[in-house]
Amino acid sequence: MSAHGRTATASAMPEPKRSSGPDDAEGEQAALDLLASGTLEVEGRLVDASNATLYCTIRTTGRKTAKDAGAQVACVYKPIAGERPLWDFPNGTLAGREVAAYTLSRAAGWDVVPPTVMRDGPFGPGMCQLWIDYDTDVDLIALSRRADHVGLRDMAVFDAVINNADRKIGHLLPVADGHLYGCDHGVCFAEDYKLRTVLWQWRGKTLPRRCVEALRRLQAQFAEGDLAAELAPLLTASEITATKIRIDKLLKHRVHPFPPADWPAMPWPPY
């Protein structure tokens, strides 16, 4: 995640390593290991966020070598205790949905969510996600309207799978190498159709072959039981079943979904 809003910093801090995302599978696993077991220190709060969203540094624990002495990376920590209650999502479940979104993105091969784990922290258990520095030269509003961006279209399909109820423009994180990440996936995986997004430019259009292949990967992993087992600690059984049904429907019809008829199609504010 990267901040588009204001950050309140508690004190001066050593500059953490910024990230544009892992380079390969080994880097991905290293980031997950660090997020899960590194020493977490809160440095500030993103004050424009609806829920408690804390900017942190994280470093390796135990004995350091000369090579990694003092090394640290930036991350975002969202404690469950800081979640604002929502009428349509059970209390204390938003952090789990963030981790579930990462799990599904990685399983499909989309990699649209930065490495994310569930862990304990200074304010109790919560989600911890690698901080992504987005490319500030990119016009996010113009990006959100593009119909020729491969990563953006993949994200639209990903959002349909996780039933994202809050895909705003400010949740897009393009990085310098051209890859596109997204953040803030706490209000996803509802059983009822609640897709609310700024990415409706492909509604009704045929899914690209690469998206069909990604959906087949997800379908196969659900059939084998591995993906459902990974999601079980994060979502309810009925939410997992609803996710499988959405994947099956997308593969059956092979078109991008249309906006819901009885639910706002766009988040507000859209940014």
Side-chain angles (χ1 to χ4, degrees):
M1 176 176 177
S2 179
H4 297 302
R6 295 174 294 130
T7 305
T9 304
S11 60
M13 60 181 177
E15 185 64 24
K17 177 184 176 183
R18 301 294 181 143
S19 176
S20 58
D23 295 327
D24 51 29
E26 184 177 348
E28 182 104 355
Q29 190 57 52
L32 291 170
D33 292 343
L34 180 57
L35 291 170
S37 59
T39 301
L40 188 66
E41 295 184 9
V42 177
E43 306 290 353
R45 179 178 178 179
L46 306 186
V47 295
D48 288 343
S50 300
N51 299 290
T53 303
L54 305 176
Y55 175 84
C56 303
T57 55
I58 195 165
R59 57 182 173 79
T60 53
T61 57
R63 187 176 179 180
K64 300 189 184 79
T65 65
K67 181 179 179 181
D68 65 8
Q72 58 182 1
V73 298
C75 62
V76 169
Y77 161 55
K78 296 184 180 180
I80 293 173
E83 294 178 2
R84 182 183 65 179
L86 298 173
W87 68 268
D88 52 346
F89 287 87
N91 291 345
T93 67
L94 304 190
R97 295 170 197 278
E98 297 249 24
V99 182
Y102 167 74
T103 300
L104 192 141
S105 165
R106 190 184 188 190
W110 279 316
D111 296 323
V112 295
V113 182
T116 311
V117 302
M118 185 73 76
R119 62 161 292 165
D120 200 13
F123 299 101
M127 83 85 168
C128 189
Q129 184 175 89
L130 185 68
W131 178 279
I132 299 294
D133 271 341
Y134 80 101
D135 186 351
T136 56
D137 291 333
V138 176
D139 182 332
L140 295 181
I141 295 176
L143 171 63
S144 71
R145 295 172 178 170
R146 287 181 58 177
D148 61 346
H149 192 291
V150 172
L152 195 68
R153 192 166 190 178
D154 289 347
M155 183 173 290
V157 180
F158 164 71
D159 284 342
V161 171
I162 67 172
N163 201 14
N164 193 347
D166 194 33
R167 173 62 71 199
K168 296 179 179 178
I169 295 171
H171 296 167
L172 303 177
L173 305 176
V175 296
D177 67 1
H179 189 75
L180 179 65
Y181 289 100
C183 64
D184 287 349
H185 299 105
V187 287
C188 299
F189 295 102
E191 294 176 58
D192 297 330
Y193 184 45
K194 293 191 174 185
L195 185 58
R196 186 166 54 185
T197 175
V198 296
L199 307 179
W200 288 115
Q201 53 265 56
W202 299 285
R203 60 192 181 278
K205 294 188 179 297
T206 302
L207 293 174
R209 179 180 297 177
R210 67 179 180 278
C211 292
V212 172
E213 291 172 351
L215 291 167
R216 283 176 175 163
R217 283 193 290 272
L218 290 175
Q219 190 179 58
Q221 290 180 64
F222 270 121
E224 293 166 1
D226 297 341
L227 187 52
E230 264 195 277
L231 295 174
L234 307 167
L235 304 171
T236 67
S238 56
E239 288 167 345
I240 293 172
T241 298
T243 301
K244 290 190 288 186
I245 291 172
R246 289 192 294 271
I247 293 168
D248 291 343
K249 284 184 176 180
L250 286 166
L251 281 171
K252 178 181 178 180
H253 299 290
R254 298 197 180 187
V255 296
H256 286 266
F258 287 91
D262 56 352
W263 180 255
M266 299 275 287
W268 188 260
Y271 195 89

